[in-house]
Amino acid sequence: TTENEHANYYSLQGIIYIWIEKPKEALSAFHKNMLLMNEKNKSFYGIGTSLIKLGHYRQAEWFLLKAQHEEPYNLRIAFHILENSIKENNNHKIYTRCKYIYDNFTIKSINDSLITFKNDSTSLPVDLNLIKDRLNQYAFDNIFTSYNSRSK
């Protein structure tokens, strides 16, 4: 087998471990994946997600932002960064992450993703219930309120 096949194995293993609530094992699998891959972005994303589950929010943010730097228009990564900020209980970061999402994605794509990601067991899970309320609150406070005040 090739290194790439081994890397893919570890990536899939990490995803499965996240889904069955074994973040330490997932972290190990994604670390092995990173050692074998030339392209580190998916490893950074997996490591960041594992660290969220372990409660290491500052470290998780570093890896997730590295992943986002490589894929700035990946909404799933943006959702995980928002989830991390909410779990860290950092209101400034929550606002900044919501703003990033609404500045870079359409309301339709955000809403569609909240539905499709819920039923997608092939990728890393994001706590959609947690982020949905914050996204809705941001939209109400900053988009719809602003729109209504301009139309008066």
Side-chain angles (χ1 to χ4, degrees):
T1 61
T2 66
E3 278 190 3
N4 205 25
E5 289 171 332
H6 283 216
N8 289 336
Y9 167 79
Y10 289 123
S11 179
L12 182 59
Q13 187 181 50
I15 292 169
I16 292 167
Y17 279 136
I18 289 289
W19 275 100
I20 62 172
E21 301 292 326
K22 293 188 173 187
K24 285 183 184 177
E25 291 84 349
L27 184 60
S28 175
F30 286 121
H31 185 259
K32 290 174 186 172
N33 171 268
M34 184 175 69
L35 295 174
L36 295 171
M37 292 296 288
N38 289 332
E39 200 174 294
K40 307 284 187 219
N41 189 48
K42 288 192 183 351
S43 303
F44 290 149
Y45 178 43
I47 290 169
T49 303
S50 300
L51 290 167
I52 291 173
K53 301 289 185 190
L54 290 167
H56 301 293
Y57 305 122
R58 194 168 289 182
Q59 290 174 303
E61 180 182 42
W62 187 90
F63 281 98
L64 292 169
L65 289 174
K66 292 282 279 184
Q68 187 176 57
H69 179 74
E70 295 299 317
E71 292 184 61
Y73 300 108
N74 183 322
L75 189 51
R76 189 179 290 272
I77 294 172
F79 280 177
H80 271 106
I81 295 170
L82 174 58
E83 176 185 353
N84 188 64
S85 298
I86 294 167
K87 288 183 175 180
E88 188 180 20
N89 200 25
N90 186 317
N91 288 326
H92 175 71
K93 287 182 183 177
I94 293 167
Y95 174 86
T96 302
R97 305 308 176 218
C98 287
K99 182 175 182 348
Y100 177 88
I101 290 168
Y102 278 104
D103 285 351
N104 290 285
F105 302 94
T106 65
I107 292 173
K108 180 178 179 2
S109 69
I110 294 166
N111 287 333
D112 289 350
S113 295
L114 288 168
I115 294 166
T116 58
F117 290 175
K118 183 177 185 178
N119 300 315
D120 180 8
S121 60
T122 63
S123 297
L124 293 167
V126 61
D127 190 338
L128 297 172
N129 292 328
L130 183 68
I131 67 168
K132 186 177 180 180
D133 290 340
R134 293 302 180 105
L135 287 169
N136 288 339
Q137 187 63 51
Y138 176 89
F140 180 79
D141 291 346
N142 297 284
I143 298 170
F144 302 123
T145 304
S146 171
Y147 176 78
N148 284 337
S149 66
R150 282 186 275 154
S151 61
K152 289 183 179 179

